[in-house]
Amino acid sequence: MEVFERRRLRVVLEITGLDLCYPEKVAGVFNAMATLLSDANAPFIFLLAVDPGVIVPCLEQTGCMKGLADNGYVYLNRAVTLPFSIPEMGARSRLRSVQ
């Protein structure tokens, strides 16, 4: 397809809702991400929306971190390239948004 389009194509995968999954599935998603991104020329971009306070205990419960990191935050930091957080909205900010 890239040959016909004459441009580099990207596949964007949005990952949300991991807080609803069992710990083994959460670890499986991270393993799949690592596999797909193992090639430097991989056409994949992952948008991962998670609450670290929920995901880290899931990762720590599974065996996926053995030999890689002592805690889930280190593991998550290694898996995410460009982390950022959105602060919680206060009551006033929510009211202004609604108005």
Side-chain angles (χ1 to χ4, degrees):
M1 190 70 169
E2 289 180 351
V3 172
F4 296 116
E5 291 286 327
R6 293 192 177 129
R7 64 185 169 119
R8 175 120 191 208
L9 299 178
R10 296 283 187 187
V11 177
V12 179
L13 300 166
E14 177 185 348
I15 300 173
T16 59
L18 285 180
D19 55 334
L20 302 173
C21 298
Y22 289 111
E24 295 80 22
K25 293 293 182 185
V26 173
V29 168
F30 278 93
N31 287 334
M33 285 174 43
T35 301
L36 290 174
L37 293 174
S38 63
D39 179 14
N41 296 320
F44 302 106
I45 298 172
F46 287 93
L47 300 176
L48 178 66
V50 297
D51 179 0
V54 175
I55 298 304
V56 165
C58 287
L59 292 171
E60 290 175 346
Q61 287 177 7
T62 65
C64 71
M65 296 187 331
K66 292 204 185 322
L68 296 176
D70 291 340
N71 68 44
Y73 287 101
V74 173
Y75 182 85
L76 192 59
N77 192 37
R78 289 181 183 176
V80 177
T81 306
L82 183 62
F84 68 92
S85 63
I86 300 172
E88 288 189 41
M89 290 180 92
R92 280 193 178 149
S93 296
R94 281 187 288 217
L95 284 174
R96 274 185 271 165
S97 296
V98 171
Q99 290 175 349

